Amino acid sequence: MPAVSPAARDKAKTLLLRALGPSKVKTDPDDCAVYSRDESEAEGMVPDAVVLAEAAEDVLLALAVAREAGVPITPRAGGTGRTGGAVPVGGGIVLSLLGMNAIKEIDRREQIAVVGPGTVLSELHAAVEREGLFYPPDPNSSVGCALGGNVAENSGGPRGFKYGVTGDYVLGMEAFLIGGQRLSVGRRTRKGTTGYDLTSLLVGSEGTLAVFGDLTLRLLPKPEGLMTLMALFEDERGAARAVEEITGRGLIPRCIEFFDATTLQAVRDAKNPIDERARAMLMIEVDGDEAACEVASLGVADACEASGASEVLVAQEPAQREKLWAARKEMSPAVRKLAKHKLSEDVVVPRQQQGELLTRVRAVGERLGVRTLAYGHAGDGNFHVNFLWDDPDEVPRVDAAIEALFRDVIALGGTLTGEHGIGVLKAPYLPLEQASELIGVQRAIKGVFDPQGLLNPGKIFPARGHRDC
Ligand SMILES: Cc1cc2nc3c(=O)[nH]c(=O)nc-3n(C[C@H](O)[C@H](O)[C@H](O)COP(=O)(O)OP(=O)(O)OC[C@H]3O[C@@H](n4cnc5c(N)ncnc54)[C@H](O)[C@@H]3O)c2cc1C
């Protein structure tokens, strides 16, 4: 973390106010406080200034001021991140990009869209679907998150099982560097191998290498039809077996979402009538033309029954589908109510290890006396393992449970994060998964883009190695 003097902070405020004026620059601590947090447990400092960028020139100017004054600058889109990526851990400038929210182009023939980084994801979904097109990435935060944040986190979502993640749809972007340099990265064509693939490097860089301006995105034709299935199981291993059975039969639903017993109970408590005997649930969705949906849904239902499902419901009509999805939509707020504090770790394991992972999560919770629950994108082996607590005294046990989870995940051949990124919260654990040489190469890349370490400091890289590494 670069050391920042009070004089440097004052200089940054003065330069920003002079160049952009008070309508685009907030310096009142009460106005700035809301930018010190995101949707995670990460705690930041109240930033010295918040820039509400409306155009590329505002971004370039803020990046030039940050370097001239020597203060940190943290890009921010919707602030829905789960690992503290947009949290200004050293104060300085927060650069809000939500004002750059124009959908500039939807080209039906080329099947591409060009959007500002502040475009809210659900608005892009609606706009392209009106044109008969489809943008698949669908984090469950789609009404609050924005495309710049999605690209910076390489976000996924339920549809990732069939359609992949955000990075699979990014063709190119405007990239603004610390100091105020502008690069045009990538392309508009569907293929292209000119030079190093900097687009892929910037996707998932968590705001630490460059700030994104306009994003060029690949689109698909909108699938004709959809069918949703809900399968109930008496235990989690049955649900895990069903996921293996579905994929083993070569079926590719667009999503396979898993809920464990505690999550299901929270959803029931939110007034969703789900059979009390069920201890695990899968929500599965297939898409394509009518005949393809019919065949796929029959195959999925059969695979679930063969794996011990106690009940399988199939919904085709939009109203029926909405009813089934209500349970998924209610889940996050319902789970949020279970405790004062909640940390969600989005680990991934090979699909064949998911039953084992769930068993180990339960064992860790019981051993350490920590409440846990798990749900998530089971088709991808990507689980959101949640740790819940009310009392600060519980925190050391929660920390021990998180570390035990990460060790289990690595031992099972998995990875620390499938879609939420490393941010602040997972940075201390990076050395559990990656060798110091690999972390060193990434630090060197960071140094090329940001030699003074001013762009979103405190993210990804641990301040020091994990104590056991
Ligand atoms: C209820 C809920 C459900 C969620 N479900 C999912 C899910 O299903 N799948 C999933 O993947 N995630 C999910 N998330 C996490 C989160 O929504 C995603 O990580 C999302 O992509 C963050 O977007 P944002 O606009 O809120 O970004 P922010 O939180 O504002 O920022 C995230 C990161 O992006 C950087 N950044 C933002 N804009 C730019 C830019 N223009 N240039 C460079 N860097 C930038 C920030 O510095 C930060 O590091 C969920 C979150 C919530 C609260």
Side-chain angles (χ1 to χ4, degrees), residues 92-289:
I93 303 167
V94 165
L95 176 56
S96 169
L97 294 130
L98 275 185
M100 294 168 63
N101 57 2
I103 298 179
K104 296 191 169 172
E105 190 182 339
I106 296 175
D107 186 327
R108 290 180 64 181
R109 288 182 180 218
E110 294 292 339
Q111 296 182 345
I112 58 173
V114 180
V115 303
T119 305
V120 170
L121 177 60
S122 58
E123 289 174 15
L124 175 66
H125 282 153
V128 301
E129 285 173 31
R130 280 195 294 274
E131 301 288 329
L133 294 167
F134 184 49
Y135 176 71
D138 62 338
N140 285 307
S141 51
S142 63
V143 292
C145 66
L147 265 301
N150 297 166
V151 174
E153 298 290 6
N154 197 8
S155 294
R159 299 196 293 230
F161 178 57
K162 178 168 182 180
Y163 290 106
V165 295
T166 301
D168 296 316
Y169 296 88
V170 181
L171 294 173
M173 75 259 290
E174 276 183 299
F176 306 121
L177 306 186
I178 192 81
Q181 191 188 343
R182 187 178 196 153
L183 297 180
S184 178
V185 178
R187 57 187 202 273
R188 276 175 69 96
T189 51
R190 293 184 88 77
K191 289 173 75 177
T193 57
T194 308
Y196 290 146
D197 186 356
L198 288 193
T199 309
S200 294
L201 175 64
L202 294 180
V203 171
S205 61
E206 302 191 30
T208 64
L209 298 181
V211 178
F212 310 138
D214 286 350
L215 299 157
T216 305
L217 306 170
R218 188 167 75 88
L219 305 173
L220 298 179
K222 187 177 168 203
E224 257 176 58
L226 275 179
M227 280 171 91
T228 305
L229 295 92
M230 186 172 99
L232 300 177
F233 298 84
E234 282 165 17
D235 61 40
E236 289 163 359
R237 286 210 168 241
R241 268 196 313 276
V243 176
E244 274 188 61
E245 186 66 28
I246 292 166
T247 53
R249 292 184 186 197
L251 296 163
I252 309 182
R254 74 173 179 180
C255 54
I256 310 180
E257 295 285 289
F258 166 83
F259 301 60
D260 78 355
T262 314
T263 312
L264 262 189
Q265 192 51 47
V267 172
R268 279 190 199 101
D269 293 345
K271 301 205 174 5
N272 288 283
I274 295 168
D275 188 339
E276 289 289 337
R277 287 164 299 180
R279 307 279 300 154
M281 180 171 99
L282 293 178
M283 295 254 329
I284 303 158
E285 198 155 67
V286 296
D287 66 4
D289 63 31

Side-chain angles (χ1 to χ4, degrees), residues 415-439:
T415 184
L416 297 179
T417 170
E419 49 185 25
H420 290 171
I422 294 288
V424 190
L425 295 180
K426 286 189 184 167
Y429 304 100
L430 187 67
L432 290 180
E433 181 174 336
Q434 296 194 338
S436 56
E437 293 81 1
L438 182 55
I439 296 175

